[in-house]
Amino acid sequence: MPAPHVHLTDPLSGLAAWLSYFRSAEIPVLAETAEALEALRVHEDDVDASMLSSVIQNDPLMTLKLLAHVGSKRRPDAATGTETITSALVMMGISPFFQHFGAQPTVEDRLQDQPLALEGLLDLLKRAERARLFALGFAVHRADLDAGAIQLAAFLHDFAEMLLWCHAPALALKMSEAQRVDPTLRSASIQRSVLNIELDDLRQALMQDWRLPELLVHISDGKHPDQPSVRNVLLAVRLARHTMLGWDNAALPDDIDDIASLLNVSPRIALAFVHKIDQSE
């Protein structure tokens, strides 16, 4: 068994320090993703972008690695128009993908000595999948032409927290415990107290630094909630968070009212709609 990883145990000084750290930090992926990629590598000549995409699209961390790598290869003055995993793979090429992405490090390995942190990360990954499904459902209902980018933005919305679980599990657990002890505390307040930053700010800074697609960066920015595509993402993420443990969260009525407004339907219809999406998982 590999030696346990050395993790960050103390917060860094501010956004610039966190950005510098994660700019070069290794991003592990799910073990099932790593195994599936190795199975495809054996038959590389028969693999196409669609086959690779079907593996990568279920793992927000591997998705992030791919988009960040493709972004790093663009010229500074090039338009960042790639908003799908498949188009990123087509742009990169299958052989270059396998050449660049060797056997992948896994979150299960990285957190082998941190079972509570691994559980926290896996819960967050499940929540990301729920957020993606809700976001896609809302976008399709609204006939939004950017539905693909919207669901991707919801899927990646909490990637900064995912990276924190991987690299600073003690700090992530401290935040989780603070929220458990006092559910009324705002996440942003806890993050500032424990990390000296807000994770939303780190997410946006990393997305820009890694030159992720401009549309993806834009609709991920919660500071513009007046725009329907941004609100679509925010509400999907909020609903996923509030319904992870069931449909009796006290915040749910407000969520449904806001979703009804986004979809231009009554709250009763909005509630039935989100239940239908949830049951389709």
Side-chain angles (χ1 to χ4, degrees), residues 106-120:
T106 69
V107 297
E108 289 86 349
D109 173 36
R110 185 165 192 95
L111 296 174
Q112 59 174 291
D113 60 337
Q114 299 275 347
L116 290 178
L118 179 58
E119 183 181 340

Side-chain angles (χ1 to χ4, degrees), residues 52 57 73 99 115 165 207 214 255-256 277-278:
L52 267 178
Q57 69 183 359
K73 296 301 180 184
Q99 289 166 13
W165 280 110
M207 291 179 85
E214 291 168 9
D255 294 340
I256 296 302
I277 295 172
D278 187 40

Side-chain angles (χ1 to χ4, degrees), residues 26-225:
E26 178 182 72
I27 301 177
V29 305
L30 286 168
E32 63 185 78
T33 304
E35 292 165 7
L37 290 176
E38 290 312 296
L40 289 176
R41 187 188 305 277
V42 176
H43 306 286
E44 178 184 327
D45 290 345
D46 299 319
V47 172
D48 60 24
S50 178
M51 294 164 67
L52 267 178
S53 179
S54 68
V55 172
I56 295 169
Q57 69 183 359
N58 294 316
D59 186 336
L61 292 165
M62 189 63 218
T63 297
L64 184 67
K65 288 183 84 162
L66 172 64
L67 294 179
H69 176 70
V70 171
S72 73
K73 296 301 180 184
R74 291 193 191 92
R75 298 191 321 273
D77 60 342
T80 55
T82 302
E83 274 103 32
T84 69
I85 298 165
T86 301
S87 58
L89 288 166
V90 169
M91 180 180 294
M92 185 176 183
I94 304 303
S95 290
F97 173 87
F98 282 116
Q99 289 166 13
H100 178 76
F101 293 107
Q104 290 297 297
T106 69
V107 297
E108 289 86 349
D109 173 36
R110 185 165 192 95
L111 296 174
Q112 59 174 291
D113 60 337
Q114 299 275 347
L116 290 178
L118 179 58
E119 183 181 340
L121 175 60
L122 294 178
D123 282 346
L124 186 58
L125 293 171
K126 290 175 187 172
R127 201 170 84 200
E129 177 61 24
R130 285 178 65 77
R132 170 166 70 172
L133 289 173
F134 286 134
L136 179 59
F138 301 165
V140 169
H141 178 90
R142 295 176 47 248
D144 196 311
L145 297 178
D146 295 322
I150 287 170
Q151 70 163 332
L152 188 55
F155 194 46
L156 297 181
H157 185 273
D158 291 322
F159 80 74
E161 185 180 347
M162 296 173 195
L163 295 178
L164 190 74
W165 280 110
C166 294
H167 289 271
L171 296 177
L173 283 167
K174 186 176 181 180
M175 292 196 308
S176 179
E177 178 62 12
Q179 192 84 68
R180 187 191 68 79
V181 170
D182 186 356
T184 66
L185 287 174
R186 290 186 65 248
S187 297
S189 299
I190 297 173
Q191 292 163 14
R192 286 194 299 270
S193 173
V194 175
L195 305 175
N196 297 321
I197 57 164
E198 291 183 25
L199 288 174
D200 281 356
D201 293 336
L202 178 59
R203 179 193 66 234
Q204 290 305 111
L206 284 169
M207 291 179 85
Q208 291 172 6
D209 191 74
W210 288 333
R211 304 199 67 240
L212 266 57
E214 291 168 9
L215 177 60
L216 186 63
V217 176
H218 175 71
I219 61 179
S220 298
D221 190 352
K223 291 182 172 60
H224 304 287

